[in-house]
Amino acid sequence: LVADARVRARFAPSPTGALHFGSVRTALFAWLAARHAGGDFILRIEDTDQERYIPGTEALIIETLSWLGLDFGEGPEIGGPHDPYIQSLRIATYRDHADRLVAGGHAYWCTCTPARLAAMRDEQRARSEPTRYDRRCLTRQAEVAEERASGMAAVVRLRMPDGVSEWDDIVRGHVSFANADIDDQVLLKSDGFPTYHLAVVVDDHLMRISHVIRSDEWIPSTPKHLALYAAFGWETPRFAHVPAVLGPDHQKLSKRRGARNVLEYGELGYLPSAIVNAIALLGWSSGDEQEVFTPQELCERFTLERVNAAAAVFDPKRLDDLNGIHIRRMSTDDLVEALEYHLLGTSKETRRLLIPMLRERMVTLADATRLCAPLLGEVRLDPSIEFPPKKVDQATAVAMIDACIAAVDQGGLDDQAALLERIRSVAESAGVKSRDAFRVLYVAILGTPAGLPVIEAMAFLGKEKSLQRLREARARLG
Ligand code: GLU
């Protein structure tokens, strides 16, 4: 890793709901950028918009980051040198800074009522002009001061300077805006709370953030932020605006459109390492063929320069593929642990016996529940399942089961390879493809024509149970 302690990247979510793949992708890129450089990753909760606040979501955000392994060195609960990391606890700081801007002539008080602003916008629209604040209050500051003194509600607005705003975005390249197109943004609301724009700039500066990594929906706001950095006389951080994440329907993932809470993927049996891998590939590529990465490898390889500016599409199939690969790479000990939740009530020893059968057959850990059900419980022969199965005649089915009963009865499970051979030859001499003939045994032992490898499954069940199931199936054949 390149040692550059100056990289300080933050994730600054608003607590307006659980994290979905889009929001976690922003967090992951900030975490990777920090870890790649040996820098710091900071969590800050941006909760100044009290109307959108959903109680309890800070805890969900922290739980999600920690489940995924995106550890932060400063943030709520753990604190840090720039405490507090929750914006609603920093209100006095923002007010102070708003006052400084007003004193320096970079911002001004405005007492225009919502009704006046609405009428102003209607007139602008009627004249086919862009709607923006007409700076009425800028020219009457003495009067505005009196109005405020008499108790009139007032906001502080940024006085957007003339000229052009431009920056070299790490992802987007050179970006520029004509300031004439940008409204005089409200910085402090009449309730004394800051808007996002004031709070984000003040905090990113005070918290010494070197890289602002965020969703590209904030690009139009960046000129306002640059104006604030200039007004305060502060150095600007680097900006990396990462593209939106689209769902399989090519619509932007959003809470409103029901994007799934990332924590739910855990319940469904997805591994944090596979999710991190899949999310990293949403807009980033290594530049070579490699697509499967551990989090550690991602930290080594990731750079913001290799993030694509085009929107990325989340493909659930790719997540499934990666999850299967990450599962197959897990150590047996780790799988024994990880499967506890999905094989409820089993002992470690039982799980250890099941893992060799399961490992190659799971897309998610939850598949273990379904695959192992016939081994952990009773098999109920589903009358809707064709038996004998397709492509196998009655006589062959009987021969298969009889041969299996005889072999198992004579201790055949002690040598699984020999047992497999013996039954295969029965299929062969009946002239039936062994894949088809074996379905007879699958249905007998597992209740379904596919699933865990049937000889190993019988070995797990043991002689008595296997024989019992084979005999029941035999009875069904008449
Ligand atoms: N609170 C903003 C959000 O949730 C953060 C934007 C930023 O990172 O500057 O989108």
Side-chain angles (χ1 to χ4, degrees):
L1 299 185
V2 187
D4 180 358
R6 287 178 303 111
V7 171
R8 284 177 56 82
R10 86 302 194 271
F11 177 48
S14 301
T16 53
L19 300 180
H20 52 72
F21 271 30
S23 38
V24 164
R25 204 276 315 265
T26 306
L28 177 63
F29 282 8
W31 182 79
L32 288 172
R35 289 289 170 269
H36 178 78
D40 305 317
F41 179 59
I42 294 122
L43 174 64
R44 182 176 71 227
I45 300 292
E46 301 206 326
D47 60 344
T48 58
D49 190 347
Q50 301 283 307
E51 277 157 34
R52 291 173 59 229
Y53 177 64
I54 300 183
T57 33
E58 296 97 326
L60 268 184
I61 289 168
I62 292 173
E63 191 184 340
T64 307
L65 296 181
S66 89
W67 181 62
L68 292 172
L70 309 187
D71 54 323
F72 47 91
E74 298 167 37
E77 292 183 4
I78 59 166
H82 307 288
D83 246 347
Y85 292 84
I86 297 181
Q87 288 189 327
S88 59
L89 304 178
R90 301 170 62 83
I91 301 302
T93 307
Y94 309 125
R95 272 188 219 168
D96 239 40
H97 282 81
D99 289 342
R100 275 165 63 178
L101 290 172
V102 173
H106 303 293
Y108 56 94
W109 286 98
C110 167
T111 50
C112 288
T113 60
R116 185 206 164 238
L117 294 172
M120 173 199 79
R121 285 190 204 108
D122 285 346
E123 285 167 28
Q124 289 170 337
R125 272 188 218 107
R127 293 195 299 266
S128 309
E129 288 170 15
T131 55
R132 75 165 64 121
Y133 184 58
D134 60 5
R135 292 192 159 167
R136 172 174 170 264
C137 285
L138 179 60
T139 52
R140 46 187 286 279
Q141 284 292 288
E143 254 174 283
V144 168
E146 279 168 30
E147 288 168 356
R148 285 178 58 225
S150 72
M152 232 173 124
V155 300
V156 172
R157 285 183 186 274
L158 170 66
R159 180 182 185 172
M160 194 63 199
D162 297 336
V164 172
S165 296
E166 45 193 341
W167 73 96
D168 284 315
D169 196 282
I170 303 176
V171 174
R172 310 289 293 226
H174 189 77
V175 184
S176 86
F177 281 86
N179 291 359
D181 292 337
I182 295 162
D183 208 354
D184 280 358
Q185 176 66 47
V186 173
L187 300 175
L188 203 63
K189 294 178 274 186
S190 56
D191 60 4
F193 269 70
T195 57
Y196 156 70
H197 307 279
L198 177 63
V200 77
V201 169
V202 168
D203 283 349
D204 282 342
H205 172 74
L206 294 180
M207 296 180 180
R208 303 189 173 282
I209 298 304
S210 64
H211 289 69
V212 170
I213 299 159
R214 62 182 169 202
S215 148
D216 65 4
E217 69 191 333
W218 295 110
I219 289 178
S221 300
T222 304
K224 300 171 186 174
H225 302 177
L226 291 173
L228 286 169
Y229 281 101
F232 285 120
W234 294 338
E235 199 186 323
T236 52
R238 298 287 319 269
F239 290 96
H241 285 98
V242 299
V245 176
L246 310 180
D249 56 358
H250 287 243
Q251 300 281 327
K252 199 172 144 183
L253 287 186
S254 79
K255 292 167 204 168
R256 251 176 305 128
R257 302 188 60 255
R260 187 182 266 160
N261 172 357
V262 171
L263 286 173
E264 284 172 26
Y265 283 88
E267 283 159 36
L268 294 169
Y270 290 88
L271 301 177
S273 65
I275 292 180
V276 163
N277 190 161
I279 294 183
L281 298 179
L282 292 174
W284 175 81
S285 65
S286 61
D288 59 32
E289 300 285 282
Q290 188 176 349
E291 292 216 332
V292 181
F293 297 94
T294 63
Q296 180 58 31
E297 287 169 330
L298 287 171
C299 290
E300 282 158 19
R301 301 285 300 273
F302 182 88
T303 59
L304 288 167
E305 283 75 11
R306 290 208 57 85
V307 173
N308 198 307
V313 181
F314 168 60
D315 173 5
K317 172 77 176 60
R318 195 182 207 191
L319 172 64
D320 283 352
D321 291 345
L322 286 168
N323 204 59
I325 293 170
H326 280 254
I327 287 177
R328 291 195 281 284
R329 290 185 174 188
M330 279 171 87
S331 72
T332 300
D333 284 347
D334 287 347
L335 266 175
V336 166
E337 287 298 317
L339 285 172
E340 184 176 11
Y341 175 84
H342 300 280
L343 294 174
L344 283 180
T346 56
S347 67
K348 284 189 181 185
E349 291 67 39
T350 301
R351 295 201 292 280
R352 205 170 280 281
L353 290 172
L354 291 167
I355 284 169
M357 290 182 255
L358 280 172
R359 190 191 289 276
E360 298 293 323
R361 290 175 177 77
M362 287 184 283
V363 169
T364 70
L365 296 174
D367 289 336
T369 317
R370 173 180 57 80
L371 287 166
C372 293
L375 299 192
L376 299 174
E378 292 307 310
V379 145
R380 265 169 285 281
L381 286 181
D382 178 348
S384 70
I385 286 179
E386 224 180 307
F387 195 65
K390 260 194 209 87
K391 300 188 194 162
V392 186
D393 56 278
Q394 177 86 4
T396 307
V398 169
M400 289 292 288
I401 300 255
D402 282 347
C404 197
I405 290 174
V408 170
D409 202 22
Q410 292 152 20
L413 288 175
D414 297 340
D415 185 346
Q416 293 178 28
L419 177 60
L420 186 63
E421 266 326 298
R422 196 163 153 186
I423 300 173
R424 238 189 223 144
S425 68
V426 175
E428 253 162 51
S429 49
V432 177
K433 271 200 203 129
S434 92
R435 185 156 49 94
D436 296 329
F438 265 82
R439 281 203 202 104
V440 177
L441 301 183
Y442 275 89
V443 174
I445 297 296
L446 303 169
T448 60
L452 296 179
V454 74
I455 304 274
E456 289 168 64
M458 283 194 283
F460 176 89
L461 288 168
K463 182 172 168 179
E464 288 319 310
K465 259 202 179 157
S466 299
L467 285 174
Q468 186 197 331
R469 290 187 185 185
L470 289 164
R471 287 186 180 125
E472 274 166 27
R474 177 67 181 81
R476 247 179 102 184
L477 291 170

